[in-house]
Amino acid sequence: MSSGFISLSRAMLLGFVRDRAALFFTILFPLMFLIVFGGLMKNQGVSRSKVIEVGPVAVIDQVPAEAKADLDKVLEVTKMTDRQMAVDAVRKGDYAAAVEQQGDTVVVHYSAADQVRSGTVRGVLASLVQQANIAVSPIPARFEFQAQQVEDKSLKTIQFVTPGLLGWALATGATFGAAMTLVTWREKRILRRLRLSPVSTVSVIGARVGVSVGIALAQTAIFLAVATLPYFGLQLSSYWWMSIPVILVGTLAFLSIGLLAGAWAKTQETANMIAQLVVLPMAFLSGSFFPLDITPKWVQTLAEIFPLRHLNQALLDVMVRGKGPESVLPELGILAGFAIVVSLVAARLFRWDEV
Amino acid sequence: MASTIVVQGLHKAYGEVKAVDGVSFEVEAGEFFGILGPNGAGKTTTLEIVEGLRKADAGEVRLLGQAPWPRNAALLPRIGVQQQASSFFERLTAREQIRTFASLYGVGSKKADDMLELVGLADKAEVRAEKLSGGQMQRLSIACALVHDPELVFLDEPTAALDPQARRNLWDLLRAINTQGRTIVLTTHYMDEAEILCDRVAIMDHGRILQSGPPAELVRGLDSATRITIETGAIAVDEARRLFQGAEVDDDGVSLTLVTRTPAPVLASLAERNALRGLSVRGATLEDVFLNLTGREYRA
Ligand SMILES: Nc1ncnc2c1ncn2[C@@H]1O[C@H](COP(=O)(O)OP(=O)(O)O)[C@@H](O)[C@H]1O
Ligand SMILES: [Mg+2]
């Protein structure tokens, strides 16, 4: 390992740690969102939920016409015949719950990834069952309600907000870090000074990548440490470790955006503005702050161009949905491809100095 | 052996502006060479082409027998550069700065600390670079350029914007470095600085070198007049005119000035008449050389 790489990494890291604004925006600010979303909004209602009806379910099919309109306001019911397919769709997060009738028992399969939503669905269905029971009295209750969760038992917003907010924090840290280093070092003529020293370009870039990856891992550690506190109660699924390679590749993708902004921009202000204009809309459209399924279809399609969308998806899958490690390979591929293409463009635009 | 620096026929244009317009010079090992000229003369552009930071449109540069462009990794450890504006890492202290630069050259932190001591910044080691005064910053910048013991040192206006005391301190430092046997190339727009420090200077204007040589030789080559000034009334103006036929005599009511090419007999005859009250004698300087070369007053 070259001494140039080590000392440049050290210089960069010291510069970051001593920069209060950078520390605030990469660590404290996203953490505040986590605390607000995960802590204070523990029991928030959500909009219309998508539910699968597996085979005929009497309590849904036989709702009186006037009640049907009310029901449509909260539930969007899709019919399906295959039970396994329906449960898988719920597990993937495409639907809030799957409902089936086994004899006189109404069974609800739901996902813990979006606790608020599945809670709503269960509440609605429970009330339907009760209404049906009252309707057929005085004969003893014929239907009873039973909820069955597809994963663990916790019912907290934290499950859903942690991956998204962490993704936003990672995007902010890596994008701004790379953009600001490049522009500041060029403006302060450090890049030309480095060019006059025998340090290799690989060491310079390697140092920036190394420091960004280190910061990303620190952000992840801090986020998970806070979110898993009993008060917030995040429950990590058994394959959560797969989020580490996802985070590493995702950081590279955001670094490439930052490098592009830094290569193109002439001043710190411009670089800052470009990074701002990319990261914030990207965070909104990638579902970092709210689930995308409440947005129009075209927004969801547009969101596919953002690396953060894929990072969020992958983090949600392996951290809380309990999907296997291989399930995020497509996202890893997309993130890596994005990083490579954008880095190549940035390298073409790169200038050592203004001359 | 070839000279340490050989520069031949450099040209560099920025649009219409010919920043460097046919510059050639050589510098020998151990020499203290100065490039002197007003702002915009093309000093920085010339220096940065020689260092290998910019590419010339035409011309050739050899440093220690090698070409500095494109980036020549074999050459870099042998040269030290101080840029016109200092370049430091953000939020790092003086000691952290010099240690970082040192390690880029594989130089240990002990040597870095010694260098900080040498430029008189040991007591500022814990201060962040952006909090240093102008003179301290320049010294740190020079220390960072010297930490790897380069044979060849380039300094771009190292004393610009310093107060007189700080300039003088820096001059002492630069002389000491040169005495250690290092070759120094310095640019400056201060005539006195070039005259005092440099073994040889090249006077530059509008991208060209007008003349070069040891400062004393350039001045002597002018064969210019000496100005002798005494107090008005020490001798009557008419008498002065009669006595010193070849001299220009002028009296502004405060002092009487005699401009002559033969100062010795004039001074002798003034002394005989006991008319040396308020005497000052000024020979030509590099400023007169510049005036003579360009036909205009020197303005930095
Ligand atoms: N990067 C550049 N782009 C455009 N013009 C430049 C550039 N660098 C220098 N110049 C021009 O070239 C001339 C010489 O500049 P410079 O070498 O900096 O002079 P000096 O160092 O003697 O003050 C000036 O007219 C300056 O405006
Ligand atoms: Mg200059």
Side-chain angles (χ1 to χ4, degrees):
Chain A
M1 196 116 319
S2 84
S3 66
F5 169 79
I6 294 171
S7 60
L8 286 179
S9 303
R10 205 181 110 81
M12 239 180 271
L13 198 60
L14 280 176
F16 171 75
V17 174
R18 290 175 189 170
D19 184 352
R20 295 233 178 85
L23 275 183
F24 176 78
F25 280 109
T26 43
I27 294 178
L28 216 55
F29 194 49
L31 211 53
M32 280 160 52
F33 272 66
L34 182 80
I35 290 167
V36 170
F37 279 9
L40 306 183
M41 294 160 63
K42 274 181 180 169
N43 306 303
Q44 269 292 328
V46 241
S47 54
R48 216 160 99 111
S49 307
K50 288 155 87 178
V51 168
I52 307 173
E53 182 181 345
V54 186
V57 177
V59 287
I60 297 179
D61 297 338
Q62 291 161 16
V63 173
E66 69 274 17
K68 180 92 174 84
D70 279 341
L71 186 63
D72 281 347
K73 280 190 199 133
V74 279
L75 291 191
E76 181 187 324
V77 181
T78 312
K79 288 195 190 276
M80 242 184 232
T81 44
D82 189 277
R83 179 170 170 275
Q84 194 51 46
M85 253 174 67
V87 172
D88 280 348
V90 174
R91 191 175 281 124
K92 266 197 234 147
D94 295 342
Y95 290 89
V99 192
E100 66 173 322
Q101 189 169 349
Q102 295 171 356
D104 285 345
T105 307
V106 174
V107 181
V108 179
H109 304 269
Y110 68 97
S111 158
D114 188 344
Q115 294 282 2
V116 176
R117 195 175 287 285
S118 64
T120 312
V121 172
R122 278 182 294 159
V124 171
L125 289 170
S127 75
L128 286 182
V129 171
Q130 262 170 27
Q131 276 169 24
N133 281 336
I134 293 162
V136 294
S137 62
I139 304 164
R142 187 174 152 211
F143 301 106
E144 62 177 299
F145 183 81
Q146 182 190 338
Q148 243 173 46
Q149 193 177 333
V150 293
E151 304 116 352
D152 60 69
K153 290 253 169 13
S154 51
L155 202 163
K156 278 166 189 156
T157 328
I158 196 87
Q159 297 292 112
F160 152 73
V161 297
T162 307
L165 289 177
L166 175 59
W168 170 53
L170 296 171
T172 307
T175 308
F176 280 85
M180 292 321 260
T181 305
L182 207 55
V183 175
T184 313
W185 282 23
R186 187 166 54 229
E187 264 193 332
K188 302 223 156 190
R189 291 163 300 273
I190 291 181
L191 281 182
R192 16 178 30 217
R193 180 64 186 80
L194 292 178
R195 196 176 167 199
L196 285 168
S197 79
V199 71
S200 69
T201 324
V202 175
S203 292
V204 180
I205 295 167
R208 182 62 255 184
V209 172
V211 169
S212 282
V213 163
I215 292 173
L217 292 178
Q219 286 174 306
T220 308
I222 294 173
F223 250 70
L224 294 187
V226 171
T228 50
L229 288 177
Y231 176 74
F232 297 106
L234 172 72
Q235 308 248 330
L236 287 173
S237 82
S238 44
Y239 297 117
W240 73 272
W241 49 263
M242 189 58 192
S243 63
I244 291 173
V246 171
I247 285 165
L248 296 187
V249 181
T251 302
L252 294 184
F254 301 131
L255 269 174
S256 71
I257 298 180
L259 288 177
L260 186 62
W264 187 76
K266 285 202 167 60
T267 64
Q268 291 188 43
E269 289 73 26
T270 325
N272 195 7
M273 206 181 65
I274 297 174
Q276 205 74 261
L277 282 178
V278 173
V279 172
L280 211 57
M282 175 166 81
F284 271 103
L285 293 178
S286 301
S288 275
F289 304 122
F290 51 82
L292 277 194
D293 37 334
I294 60 165
T295 62
K297 193 84 196 148
W298 66 267
V299 173
Q300 298 182 31
T301 313
L302 176 71
E304 297 291 316
I305 66 167
F306 295 119
L308 182 54
R309 171 85 196 117
H310 302 282
L311 178 85
N312 284 345
Q313 196 66 40
L315 289 184
L316 201 59
D317 283 350
V318 292
M319 277 184 161
V320 295
R321 278 201 185 126
K323 285 204 189 176
E326 73 294 337
S327 68
V328 293
L329 291 181
E331 275 92 2
L332 271 181
I334 294 173
L335 289 171
F338 185 95
I340 291 169
V341 171
V342 178
S343 297
L344 286 178
V345 178
R348 288 209 62 124
L349 284 177
F350 177 78
R351 288 158 293 138
W352 283 96
D353 54 36
E354 293 97 354
V355 207
Chain B
M1 210 191 94
S3 304
T4 300
I5 303 177
V6 182
V7 175
Q8 232 148 33
L10 282 195
H11 286 267
K12 178 84 185 177
Y14 291 104
E16 294 288 287
V17 181
K18 288 179 177 166
V20 179
D21 190 15
V23 164
S24 304
F25 61 88
E26 292 192 10
V27 180
E28 303 297 330
E31 217 179 350
F32 201 134
F33 184 77
I35 302 178
L36 171 65
N39 275 327
K43 305 182 295 294
T44 299
T45 309
T46 304
L47 202 67
E48 293 195 347
I49 291 173
V50 174
E51 294 159 359
L53 270 180
R54 302 192 207 185
K55 189 178 188 298
D57 294 341
E60 207 196 345
V61 181
R62 296 256 137 197
L63 290 189
L64 305 157
Q66 305 184 43
W69 183 280
R71 193 170 184 243
N72 184 341
L75 202 50
L76 295 173
R78 301 174 68 186
I79 67 173
V81 173
Q82 188 231 0
Q83 304 186 71
Q84 179 155 11
S86 21
S87 50
F88 294 121
F89 294 98
E90 287 184 299
R91 295 178 283 279
L92 259 54
T93 65
R95 178 182 288 132
E96 288 162 349
Q97 302 279 1
I98 194 160
R99 284 188 177 182
T100 304
F101 282 114
S103 75
L104 297 182
Y105 294 86
V107 172
S109 41
K110 169 84 175 63
K111 178 80 205 301
D113 294 350
D114 288 349
M115 188 52 82
L116 213 52
E117 177 92 50
L118 181 77
V119 298
L121 286 178
D123 56 331
K124 299 284 171 196
E126 304 302 331
V127 179
R128 292 198 190 170
E130 56 266 28
K131 299 247 165 69
L132 294 174
S133 75
Q136 291 163 346
M137 241 186 235
Q138 292 286 41
R139 275 185 282 155
L140 178 58
S141 184
I142 290 173
C144 290
L146 294 175
V147 73
H148 58 291
D149 269 331
E151 299 157 52
L152 186 49
V153 183
F154 295 95
L155 305 164
D156 198 354
E157 309 226 8
T159 66
L162 295 193
D163 60 71
Q165 185 55 46
R167 278 179 76 200
R168 234 141 273 206
N169 291 344
L170 205 53
W171 286 352
D172 291 340
L173 175 65
L174 296 182
R175 263 200 221 99
I177 294 162
N178 183 234
T179 312
Q180 295 167 352
R182 285 180 238 270
T183 312
I184 300 185
V185 179
L186 157 138
T187 73
T188 180
H189 62 257
Y190 295 116
M191 293 281 174
D192 55 342
E193 184 165 291
E195 216 164 337
I196 288 168
L197 284 177
C198 299
D199 299 325
R200 222 150 46 83
V201 296
I203 297 179
M204 199 168 177
D205 194 28
H206 297 309
R208 292 176 197 219
I209 290 182
L210 304 175
Q211 200 173 13
S212 65
E217 226 168 74
L218 296 182
V219 173
R220 230 178 290 133
L222 267 186
D223 187 27
S224 70
T226 304
R227 298 165 72 86
I228 298 168
T229 312
I230 50 176
E231 234 177 76
T232 295
I235 183 173
V237 180
D238 291 345
E239 197 185 355
R241 292 229 164 88
R242 188 174 50 78
L243 280 170
F244 314 119
Q245 302 272 334
E248 239 176 76
V249 181
D250 185 45
D251 192 333
D252 63 4
V254 178
S255 41
L256 181 136
T257 307
L258 295 146
V259 182
T260 172
R261 281 175 196 281
T262 51
V266 174
L267 285 169
S269 127
L270 285 174
E272 258 170 44
R273 285 169 178 74
N274 201 13
L276 290 179
R277 250 179 302 140
L279 173 73
S280 88
V281 181
R282 200 174 71 87
T285 65
L286 280 178
E287 282 179 45
D288 301 297
V289 177
F290 187 84
L291 176 68
N292 184 50
L293 288 169
T294 63
R296 61 192 164 88
E297 287 282 337
Y298 183 80
R299 240 176 233 106

